[in-house]
Amino acid sequence: MPASNQLFNDIITNSELLFAIRQINVKKSQGPNGIHGQYLITLGQYALERLLHIFNLSWKLSRLPRQWKTPIIIFILKPNEDANCMKSYRPISHT
């Protein structure tokens, strides 16, 4: 069903993909998918086209891989709280 906002009906463009890849911080470790940012930066044209196809297919079908929905929960210590008490931590979920 088409969205009322045209932005959600548009496909992801090659320039948008390249812009997103240029924003990758290669000093960070790889995610749960096992792909390091440096690998994405060095992809060739064919691999970039395939990656763009996967993203657009996921967008069109409104489906994400199951692994992308699995959160990583990090507990952040609240300011001026006792580090030995679980109530002193705030959970942050990264997907």
Side-chain angles (χ1 to χ4, degrees):
M1 169 181 262
S4 59
N5 185 334
Q6 185 57 38
L7 173 67
F8 296 112
N9 294 321
D10 293 343
I11 63 168
I12 301 166
T13 65
N14 190 48
S15 61
E16 289 171 326
L17 176 63
L18 292 175
F19 177 80
I21 288 175
R22 284 193 296 269
Q23 305 308 307
I24 293 173
N25 183 347
V26 295
K27 294 182 181 180
K28 291 190 175 186
S29 62
Q30 62 195 24
N33 60 11
I35 300 173
H36 194 278
Q38 185 64 42
Y39 177 76
L40 294 173
I41 289 172
T42 58
L43 287 177
Q45 185 59 38
Y46 180 75
L48 287 171
E49 289 172 7
R50 301 313 311 151
L51 185 60
L52 185 61
H53 173 73
I54 290 168
F55 288 153
N56 278 317
L57 185 61
S58 176
W59 186 253
K60 178 182 175 183
L61 298 176
S62 300
R63 299 197 58 188
L64 292 173
R66 182 174 291 131
Q67 298 89 338
W68 291 6
K69 298 177 188 180
T70 304
I72 298 171
I73 300 173
I74 301 169
F75 293 92
I76 307 289
L77 181 63
K78 295 176 185 176
N80 305 318
E81 296 286 338
D82 179 12
N84 295 318
C85 180
M86 277 304 293
K87 291 181 181 180
S88 300
Y89 291 87
R90 179 176 38 136
I92 303 294
S93 174
H94 293 277
T95 52

